[in-house]
């Protein structure tokens, strides 16, 4: 089956810093989503981005489908950005496959 | 806004008990999913359902069953709970033909 690898596994930054999270996947996909899991466990959709670039406030994402990777950018980090960021992909069959996540800690 | 709710945030059960985890969505979504989340393993799909009374096994169905009698409700059943089923359980729903998936708040189950 399709493999999803996220890097780095952990990232610790000071408030105000910028960060880049990476997601590599092993096969072509028709769906790629980024999620943020807050410290209470709730997963929130950030982006549906099988290709191209999208921006939402301080967050943006780029997927280069031909090279099988996606990047999530967080600018001017805030403590509320802390949590785990998951990339998930789908290749038909309506089943998302999740990466292991990047745990982001933003210190004040 | 899509709302997915789960019956409990925290649950403690004993080995051998039958456990029911309930999930309800209010947006008439056709597809519903149950995942478990364990440290270092990300989210793994247990079962999913694409219609009432329809179900398909995910990647780790052993030890679990599901029930979907109504469109808005999808139940996960642990027939005889074991300690290795201690985990965070997450329910999700998705409209048919759409890619975006919405999650409930999760149930942290501890089996002692």
């Amino acid at each position: 089956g399709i493999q999803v690898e996220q890097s780095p596994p952990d990232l610790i930054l000071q408030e105000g810093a910028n960060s880049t999270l990476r997601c590599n996947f092993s096969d072509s996909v028709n769906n790629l989503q980024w999620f943020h899991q807050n410290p209470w466990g709730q997963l929130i959709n950030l982006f549906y981005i099988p290709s191209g670039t999208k921006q939402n406030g301080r967050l943006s994402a780029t997927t280069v489908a031909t090279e099988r990777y996606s990047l999530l950018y967080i600018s001017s980090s805030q403590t509320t950005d802390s949590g785990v960021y998951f990339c998930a992909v789908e290749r038909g069959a309506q089943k998302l496959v999740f990466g292991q996540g990047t745990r982001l800690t933003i210190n004040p | 806004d899509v709302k997915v709710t789960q019956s409990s945030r925290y649950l403690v059960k004993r080995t051998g008990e039958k456990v029911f985890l309930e999930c309800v969505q209010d947006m008439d979504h056709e597809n519903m999913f149950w995942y478990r989340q364990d440290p270092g393993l990300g989210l793994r799909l247990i079962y999913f359902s694409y219609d009432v009374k329809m179900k398909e096994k995910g990647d780790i169905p052993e030890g679990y069953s599901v029930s979907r009698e109504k469109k808005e409700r999808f139940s996960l059943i642990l027939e005889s709970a074991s300690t290795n089923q201690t985990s965070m359980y997450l329910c999700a729903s998705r409209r048919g033909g759409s890619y975006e998936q919405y999650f409930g708040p999760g149930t942290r189950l501890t089996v002692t």
Side-chain angles (χ1 to χ4, degrees), chain A residues 16-52:
Chain A
N18 301 329
S19 57
T20 302
L21 284 57
R22 187 177 179 101
C23 171
N24 292 333
F25 45 96
S26 61
D27 209 339
S28 59
V29 298
N30 55 352
N31 180 8
L32 187 146
Q33 293 183 53
W34 282 98
F35 296 88
H36 174 221
Q37 186 172 39
N38 65 25
W40 297 271
Q42 178 74 58
L43 273 113
I44 305 295
N45 296 54
L46 296 177
F47 294 103
Y48 160 67
I49 185 165
S51 63

Side-chain angles (χ1 to χ4, degrees), chain A residues 48 90 94, chain B residues 30-31 94-100:
Chain A
Y48 160 67
E90 179 178 331
Q94 298 193 66
Chain B
E30 290 80 5
N31 304 303
R94 183 162 93 176
R95 185 177 302 285
S98 168
Y99 286 115
E100 293 185 69

Side-chain angles (χ1 to χ4, degrees), chain B residues 3-8 20-25 32-34 67-68 70-76 90-93 102-105 107:
Chain B
K3 191 162 187 182
V4 181
T5 57
Q6 295 183 227
S7 50
S8 306
F20 293 86
L21 302 182
E22 305 285 339
C23 175
V24 177
Q25 50 94 5
M32 296 187 75
F33 307 82
W34 275 107
S67 172
R68 192 161 180 208
K70 293 185 177 182
K71 192 174 186 180
E72 67 270 19
R73 187 180 297 269
F74 191 33
S75 302
L76 181 69
L90 291 154
C91 174
S93 75
Y102 298 89
F103 282 84
T107 295

